[in-house]
């Protein structure tokens, strides 16, 4: 399983844009855009998800499930369980603003 925030964070850690991730995974840019725009857990074609996760893995990204520890260490990021975008952006519509700002 991979969430949209994990995908955006992974891409940011690699320093690549959506087009490069599409090339690495063999997926289309619109598919990457749809995945990153998901509300939480990315749902879709299992083959596409496996291509995406495989490309991230080969690029050096380890996906860490909620509550799990890293198997091999290394740098990474994780949102705290009580993360609230409203604390960062303020306002009632902060969750939507947060997601929209982090899609590209």
């Amino acid at each position: 399983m991979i969430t949209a925030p994990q995908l955006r964070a992974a891409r940011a850690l690699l320093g690549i844009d959506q087009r490069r991730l599409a090339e690495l995974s063999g997926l289309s840019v619109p598919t990457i855009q749809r995945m990153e725009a998901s509300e939480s857990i990315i749902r879709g074609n299992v083959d596409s998800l496996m291509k995406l996760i495989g490309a991230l893995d080969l690029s050096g990204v380890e996906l860490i499930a909620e509550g799990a520890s890293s198997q091999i260490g290394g740098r990474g990021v994780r949102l705290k369980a009580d993360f609230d975008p409203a604390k960062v952006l303020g306002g009632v519509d902060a969750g939507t603003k947060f997601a929209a700002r982090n899609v590209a």
Side-chain angles (χ1 to χ4, degrees), residues 37-92:
S38 297
E39 287 293 319
S40 183
I41 295 174
I42 296 173
R43 307 224 187 270
N45 180 301
V46 173
D47 185 52
S48 294
L49 291 171
M50 295 308 293
K51 286 180 180 180
L52 175 70
I53 292 169
L56 293 173
D57 183 58
L58 288 173
S59 297
V61 171
E62 176 187 5
L63 298 173
I64 304 169
E66 186 172 338
S69 62
S70 172
Q71 298 296 315
I72 57 174
R75 285 178 244 159
V77 295
R78 173 181 286 175
L79 289 175
K80 293 181 179 181
D82 63 347
F83 171 73
D84 180 4
K87 291 179 185 175
V88 178
L89 299 173
V92 178

